[in-house]
Amino acid sequence: TARIAKHLAERFGGEFILTGRTPLTLENAAKLDLRAERARIKAELKASGERVTPTMIAKVLKPFEAQKEIAETLASLKALGAEASYLAFDVCDDLATARHLGGLSGIDVCIHGAGLEDSHLLAQKSPQVFERVLTVKVDGAHNLLSALGKDLGLFVAFTSVSGRFGNAGQVDYAAANDALARLCGALNGEAQ
């Protein structure tokens, strides 16, 4: 979605409101040195006496990577002459989505790029994981459409070919993408 936003900013300018679940709390996140952060995290984990693994380091580093990516995307959009802001909330939360976006009007395009993939065989998936993978796409789309209202210009959603063909361990992801594709088709008045 960031690449799409940059491409649109380059071609058309405009105002962009990016959303995501990650709070943007670091002051100079765009200038964050991820190698130095990784080394700091590794040292802190070692000092705590825990056995340090690459997975543990990656888990602790992930929020820093996300903030850096958000800040860099905002900076890129602004460098292209666009106005850009960021709102942190969970699109699966209908009240939060309405609170953050409900007052907006005249939105030309909404791009729904949220998604979650957790490949495991169905017998090994918890109902909570299944529901979260499904709701981030489907409920997220519904919440965006409800919050932005009838004067929304275009609604664009990222889906996956797995919605049509499926992949091993992705029954929830396939169902979510198929449902989202069908929703978009219904919005366009296409027969399903």
Side-chain angles (χ1 to χ4, degrees), residues 107-151:
I107 302 295
D108 295 318
V109 180
C110 174
I111 300 173
H112 178 37
L116 197 64
E117 186 277 319
D118 189 347
S119 293
H120 290 89
L121 296 178
L122 185 58
Q124 297 169 334
K125 260 185 217 276
S126 72
Q128 295 81 10
V129 168
F130 189 98
E131 182 179 352
R132 183 69 179 169
V133 170
L134 191 65
T135 59
V136 72
K137 285 202 174 279
V138 180
D139 289 357
H142 178 266
N143 293 340
L144 287 167
L145 289 164
S146 294
L148 294 173
K150 298 208 181 289
D151 66 338

Side-chain angles (χ1 to χ4, degrees), residues 2 6 29-30 64-74:
K6 290 174 195 174
F64 294 98
E65 293 170 326
Q67 288 197 50
K68 182 175 179 70
E69 182 180 359
I70 293 162
E72 287 177 343
T73 300
L74 290 170

Side-chain angles (χ1 to χ4, degrees), residues 1-2 5 12-14 20 33-34 38 42 45 51 60 73 79 83 90 92 101 112 114 120 127 142 145 178 189:
T1 53
F12 306 109
D33 181 347
L34 291 175
R38 181 182 304 276
K42 185 176 181 179
L45 288 171
R51 182 176 159 263
V60 177
T73 300
E83 294 179 43
D90 187 344
C92 294
L101 302 179
H112 178 37
H120 290 89
H142 178 266
L145 289 164
D178 183 59

Side-chain angles (χ1 to χ4, degrees), residues 21-62:
R21 289 182 299 161
T22 302
L24 190 56
T25 56
L26 296 175
E27 225 172 272
N28 290 309
K31 296 179 181 179
L32 187 64
D33 181 347
L34 291 175
R35 282 184 178 205
E37 253 340 279
R38 181 182 304 276
R40 182 191 62 77
I41 290 166
K42 185 176 181 179
E44 285 180 6
L45 288 171
K46 277 185 177 180
S48 72
E50 290 188 56
R51 182 176 159 263
V52 180
T53 66
T55 303
M56 289 173 67
I57 295 168
K59 184 178 179 181
V60 177
L61 187 62
K62 189 174 182 173

